[in-house]
Amino acid sequence: MAHQPLSLRRAGLVSVLTVSLHLVASGIAAAQGNSSTQLRRFVDQQVGGIQKMMVPAHNTELPQPRLANGSPDPQFQTTEAKRYLGKLLFHEPARATRIIPEFGGILEHGGSASCGTCHLGEAASKSGTLLNFATGGEGRGYTDADGNFIARRRPLPDLPILRQTPLFPGDARVDALPTLTDIYKLADGTTEVNTPARGRRPLPGDTTDTRPAAIQLLATG
C-alpha cells in the first residue's frame, strides 16, 4: 500500500474538515432564518425541544435540588412566605446602593430603583425597554391606540455624557457599558468581563473558588 506524503494527507484532512464545517454552518444558518418555524427547529436541535425552555405553570413543578436520598431539599422549597418576601425585595429601592461616581454614577440617585424599575409588570416582568435605566432613569411606558403597552424609560437630565458617538437613534450616550456588565482586572494580570455578582471574589480564605482574584474594577455599566 502506497503512503501519501504527510502534506497531502494534511491537505485532504483540511478539505474534509472545511466541507464538514461548511455543511454544519449551512444547517445552522438555515435553522436560524427569520421564521418562527425555523427558530423552533433550531431550538429543537440544540436542547431537544422548546418545552425544555418553558417555565412551569406552577412553582411546585420547578426543578429543585435533591437530598442524598432523592427527596426534595426543604431548604429550597417554595413557600408563600418566601414568595411574598421575594416580591417585596423585587420592588425594594433601598437595595440600590451600588452607585460609583468614577464611572458616571450620581450618589443622590441611590435608593431610587429596584428590580421592578426595569422589569415592568406591565411588560410581563421582562426588561424590554430600549433605554434600560434603573437608577438615573424615570418613567415606565405608555399605551398606544391599540391598547399595547410600550415599555419606555428615559434618562434623568443630570446624568453626565460618557460617549460622543450615538450607537442608535435616541441614544442618550450616558452609559459606557451594557447594564450589569463589569470589567475586572485579575490577580494574574488578565481582564475579565463579568457581572456585579463577581465582585472581588474569591474572598480571602475561600478554597473552593479557584479563579484568580478580581483585584480591581476597571469599568461598570
Side-chain angles (χ1 to χ4, degrees):
M1 177 179 178
H3 294 281
Q4 291 181 322
L6 183 59
S7 59
L8 291 179
R9 281 185 285 163
R10 284 180 175 172
L13 178 59
V14 170
S15 299
V16 171
L17 289 175
T18 301
V19 172
S20 300
L21 289 173
H22 174 73
L23 292 174
V24 170
S26 299
I28 292 177
Q32 288 180 318
N34 294 327
S35 74
S36 59
T37 300
Q38 288 173 312
L39 176 59
R40 288 175 180 271
R41 186 179 302 128
F42 180 68
V43 171
D44 287 341
Q45 293 173 354
Q46 297 300 305
V47 300
I50 199 169
Q51 292 79 10
K52 293 186 177 181
M53 302 179 66
M54 297 174 66
V55 177
H58 304 284
N59 289 336
T60 55
E61 299 173 2
L62 290 170
Q64 292 189 359
R66 301 277 173 171
L67 298 175
N69 62 7
S71 62
D73 189 335
Q75 180 178 350
F76 298 95
Q77 180 183 2
T78 300
T79 65
E80 176 57 23
K82 290 180 180 178
R83 185 204 65 79
Y84 184 66
L85 175 61
K87 184 175 182 178
L88 293 180
L89 294 176
F90 189 81
H91 295 284
E92 176 52 72
R95 299 169 62 233
T97 58
R98 191 175 185 264
I99 310 297
I100 308 177
E102 54 264 41
F103 297 116
I106 298 177
L107 293 177
E108 289 76 10
H109 292 170
S112 65
S114 68
C115 302
T117 300
C118 296
H119 298 270
L120 306 178
E122 301 96 317
S125 295
K126 66 181 180 180
S127 183
T129 58
L130 177 62
L131 300 176
N132 195 28
F133 294 101
T135 55
E138 61 182 355
R140 296 181 69 81
Y142 63 91
T143 302
D144 65 14
D146 296 323
N148 300 310
F149 176 77
I150 310 298
R152 183 70 55 83
R153 284 176 61 75
R154 59 176 177 262
L156 293 171
D158 58 347
L159 290 179
I161 301 297
L162 299 181
R163 293 180 284 105
Q164 298 304 315
T165 304
L167 301 178
F168 52 86
D171 184 2
R173 298 173 292 140
V174 296
D175 55 345
L177 290 172
T179 301
L180 298 180
T181 300
D182 280 358
I183 300 179
Y184 295 94
K185 179 181 179 180
L186 305 185
D188 62 358
T190 62
T191 58
E192 178 180 285
V193 179
N194 212 303
T195 71
R198 172 60 147 106
R200 299 298 176 87
R201 291 176 173 79
L203 300 174
D206 183 359
T207 59
T208 62
D209 193 340
T210 59
R211 297 175 297 177
I215 60 176
Q216 182 182 359
L217 179 64
L218 300 177
T220 185

